Amino acid sequence: MSKYIQFFDTTLRDGEQTIGVNFSIDEKVAIAKQLENWGVDVIEAGFPVASKGDFEAVTAVAKAVKHARVTGLARARKGDIDACVKATSMATHKQIHVFIATSPIHREDKLNMTKEQVIDAITYSVDYAHKFFDIVEFSPEDATRTEPDFLVESIQAAIDAGATVINIPDTVGYTNPQEFEKLFKNLRNNIPMFDQITFSVHCHDDLGMAVANSLEAIKAGATRIEGTINGIGERAGNAALEEVAAAMYVRKDYYHAENNIDMAETKKTSDMISHCSEMAVPHNKAVVGANAFAHESGIHQDGMLKNPQTYEILTPAVVGANKTSLPLGKLSGSHAVMQKLQTMGYQVTRDDMKVIFPRFKNIADNTSIVSESELKNIMREVNKVTA
Ligand code: KIV
Ligand code: ZN
């Protein structure tokens, strides 16, 4: 049976924690509107208590967004919650996201709090937040390095105080899919209301497993995935939501899960974040990289020309990207070169290629990509004109 997975986008909050990224309020509003077009369920617009700018940005996004739920982030403190209440007051749909660290290293070395003090802070803050918000999301920060029993105790305290969404952050990108599945099994076995609660995950990419861990969580019982566009965020970043969406699209047979994402808006959303964050998307990035739908080797180009499904599990049209390209380089085969010449208007036969292809190879050996003008030169040399 298919289940529904909510997408929670934190590009404007955790994404903005990327070194050097600073979105203006106008950019934040434009990004939030595009995230809504893309189909996300929740937008984390900022951390209202952190600065006047963050407060104003959350207020502006709350006013502008009509369908997605808007949230602000709050530490487990009254002042943080009060700032969230004010900043989201104009939102059509809202929630709050309250967090406190639960792992021993964070409790002892960062917060200087005992387990009892952490539980008291959870109970107080979730209960207080629940007076203003129907939906209170609670995150035990550094959950994946928290003692399993204490993680259960913390989550149970949050549920008892009124939290209906529990987010499991892999704050330092420490876990792996197998271990994450085990963590969820333990929660399912020890939280009596597991099935009535929305379990969310928030994975960082320090070991390159954020997307894999998020997808595993869908199998293990999570129904909300948090992440950012292009995977931007603190340190190595967050789970790239466009990759989660693409995996769910391509592997429906495996995940058996639906979402509200309009896949055709994916590339536009990624381009907007790349532009506003001034962070180029790596060419080889999954789903939205410039080379994601480009094939260079002769064997691959030959396969693509015979049946694109030989080497493409996702078409560029699905994500709103430019069409597949077969750039011609030293590994390209005669078939791809002939096809390219034909699309340029030349009538060439397989016999013609016996003369043309060695000339092409000579050029390709000394350059990365053979351009159309270089192909035209070859055709002039062999006395071929366009039809
Ligand atoms: O990574 C993290 O733990 C966070 C929390 C605030 C959810 O960003
Ligand atoms: Zn985070």
Side-chain angles (χ1 to χ4, degrees), residues 58-326:
V58 177
T59 308
V61 169
K63 271 191 211 158
V65 164
K66 294 290 167 252
H67 306 292
R69 197 169 288 284
V70 175
T71 189
L73 181 68
R75 287 167 299 181
R77 296 181 185 182
K78 181 176 181 298
D80 286 36
I81 295 166
D82 289 339
C84 269
V85 172
K86 278 200 199 122
T88 58
S89 63
M90 304 284 279
T92 312
H93 308 284
K94 59 186 161 187
Q95 64 143 71
I96 189 169
H97 183 186
V98 178
F99 78 101
I100 189 168
T102 51
S103 65
I105 188 167
H106 280 244
R107 286 192 319 258
E108 289 154 24
D109 295 346
K110 184 182 84 173
L111 299 174
N112 195 18
M113 285 169 86
T114 62
K115 283 182 175 175
E116 292 69 30
Q117 286 171 321
V118 169
I119 296 292
D120 286 349
I122 294 170
T123 302
Y124 167 77
S125 59
V126 172
D127 178 62
Y128 182 66
H130 195 37
K131 295 187 199 315
F132 307 97
F133 294 92
D134 292 336
I135 301 180
V136 178
E137 169 170 346
F138 171 71
S139 286
E141 188 190 8
D142 205 17
T144 52
R145 290 194 299 169
T146 299
E147 306 92 323
D149 289 353
F150 188 61
L151 185 61
V152 168
E153 192 183 337
S154 304
I155 290 171
Q156 192 58 58
I159 294 172
D160 292 344
T164 53
V165 181
I166 298 294
N167 178 43
I168 306 296
D170 184 26
T171 303
V172 289
Y174 179 75
T175 199
N176 61 52
Q178 292 75 16
E179 196 181 75
F180 215 24
E181 200 239 333
K182 221 168 117 195
L183 182 153
F184 266 86
K185 228 178 225 160
N186 189 47
L187 296 184
R188 186 181 281 285
N189 289 339
N190 291 289
I191 307 276
M193 283 180 67
F194 186 92
D195 287 321
Q196 282 82 61
I197 297 295
T198 297
F199 274 93
S200 180
V201 290
H202 174 112
C203 298
H204 279 270
D205 207 31
D206 300 66
L207 298 177
M209 290 188 279
V211 170
N213 289 336
S214 304
L215 290 166
E216 181 61 34
I218 293 177
K219 297 291 276 184
T223 51
R224 178 182 278 191
I225 304 296
E226 303 195 2
T228 60
I229 301 297
N230 297 341
I232 65 170
E234 191 80 47
R235 304 180 313 279
N238 290 62
L241 283 182
E242 69 281 3
E243 295 181 18
V244 175
M248 287 179 67
Y249 177 87
V250 173
R251 297 305 311 272
K252 282 189 196 85
D253 63 314
Y254 184 78
Y255 294 108
H256 303 293
E258 306 291 326
N259 58 51
N260 187 45
I261 297 301
D262 178 356
M263 290 299 290
E265 289 288 314
T266 303
K267 184 68 168 65
K268 183 175 171 191
T269 313
S270 163
D271 286 349
M272 187 175 201
I273 299 306
S274 173
H275 175 76
C276 296
S277 63
E278 297 179 14
M279 284 178 76
V281 171
H283 285 194
N284 64 336
K285 160 92 174 56
V287 185
V288 290
N291 292 352
F293 303 103
H295 308 262
E296 178 170 331
S297 95
I299 294 167
H300 289 215
Q301 290 183 342
D302 185 49
M304 284 296 293
L305 291 169
K306 289 173 175 155
N307 177 354
Q309 285 179 13
T310 51
Y311 288 104
E312 257 178 19
I313 55 170
L314 184 66
T315 67
V318 167
V319 298
N322 287 337
K323 59 186 194 335
T324 295
S325 68
L326 303 178

Side-chain angles (χ1 to χ4, degrees), residues 9 12 32 35-36 40-45 61 65 68-71:
D9 183 278
L12 299 179
L35 289 170
E36 204 171 34
V40 305
D41 301 88
V42 187
I43 296 173
E44 186 159 66
V61 169
V65 164
R69 197 169 288 284
V70 175
T71 189

